[in-house]
Amino acid sequence: SKEDITLGKFFDEHEIPFDRDQIMNKKNGDECEPGKPGAVKMFVNGQSNDEFRNYVGAYTPDVKDHVIRIVFE
């Protein structure tokens, strides 16, 4: 089912905390740089994406074109 292939399910299977407010041990508002609060952000193929846990990857003929990047900055 669609729920079985979400990004959230992937992180749950690997026991890694992940949602729009947290990645691993970093939470929105935690210090990123000295004196600067950070935030979790997600990009798919270079474009900002706000689906986070609900994201289901698109299938393309060339999987190398499909890149998910999650950052805390």
Side-chain angles (χ1 to χ4, degrees):
S1 73
K2 186 175 180 179
E3 292 77 27
D4 289 333
I5 59 172
T6 62
L7 196 55
K9 181 77 170 182
F10 171 83
F11 278 99
D12 290 349
E13 290 293 320
H14 295 285
E15 299 180 355
I16 298 170
F18 170 69
D19 62 30
R20 67 180 58 253
D21 299 316
Q22 178 178 3
I23 181 69
M24 298 171 73
N25 65 340
K26 295 293 186 179
K27 296 181 181 179
N28 287 352
D30 286 352
E31 191 171 72
C32 179
E33 296 177 20
K36 180 181 174 190
V40 177
K41 299 177 185 176
M42 186 170 102
F43 301 88
V44 177
N45 292 340
Q47 301 296 313
S48 180
N49 186 294
D50 64 355
E51 293 182 57
F52 292 92
R53 291 188 57 82
N54 297 322
Y55 183 76
V56 175
Y59 294 97
T60 62
D62 187 355
V63 178
K64 292 184 287 185
D65 291 337
H66 184 80
V67 177
I68 300 169
R69 188 169 66 104
I70 300 165
V71 298
F72 182 78
E73 57 183 19

